[in-house]
Amino acid sequence: QSQLVESGGGLVQPGGSLRLSCAGFEKPLDYYAVGWYRQVPGKAREEIVCINSPGTSTKYKDSVKSRFTISRDMANNTVFLQMNSLKVEDTAVYYCSAGTGWVPCGGDYWGQGTQVTVSP
């Protein structure tokens, strides 16, 4: 079964940066909308950014707008999430998802997540 694999998480200080990768899918990711979600214990998973299949539209959660950027490298079938100016409240498990949906984004295929911890 097709599986997405996230990587790039880790521990970073407030104000720092991380770049997450979503790869390992057997189908071209530009066939799908691809989104990044995050989840903290006890809360629902939330969509934070999405890019459509043609790569012509993106949408961002207000709290990450201007700090996070989604991009694609189709030569390597990878979607990235560049996260700058990280805050403690960005701490979560981050998931990528691909699928035909736009609202919500993706939703057909999921990765297992990568932990991002922002701490002094």
Side-chain angles (χ1 to χ4, degrees):
Q1 185 171 351
S2 296
Q3 180 83 31
L4 295 162
V5 179
E6 303 95 338
S7 62
L11 173 64
V12 64
Q13 292 185 338
S17 297
L18 284 173
R19 188 176 77 159
L20 305 184
S21 300
C22 174
F25 204 50
E26 66 180 17
K27 303 175 185 177
L29 284 173
D30 58 359
Y31 284 8
Y32 304 97
V34 178
W36 286 94
Y37 290 72
R38 67 187 181 188
Q39 187 171 26
V40 298
K43 292 192 176 181
R45 190 174 298 186
E46 64 175 0
E47 178 186 324
I48 56 171
V49 61
C50 184
I51 186 166
N52 68 348
S53 170
T56 55
S57 292
T58 57
K59 52 174 177 168
Y60 290 85
K61 184 178 174 65
D62 284 348
S63 61
V64 306
K65 205 174 291 185
S66 80
R67 299 188 298 122
F68 291 11
T69 304
I70 190 169
S71 63
R72 306 189 307 188
D73 174 3
M74 287 299 96
N76 291 293
N77 205 31
T78 301
V79 175
F80 299 104
L81 180 64
Q82 178 67 42
M83 305 188 295
N84 298 328
S85 303
L86 282 161
K87 304 176 180 181
V88 171
E89 52 265 41
D90 293 319
T91 296
V93 178
Y94 284 69
Y95 301 87
C96 64
S97 178
T100 56
W102 181 246
V103 180
C105 184
D108 296 321
Y109 306 97
W110 291 87
Q112 293 187 329
T114 186
Q115 176 70 48
V116 171
T117 303
V118 185
S119 179

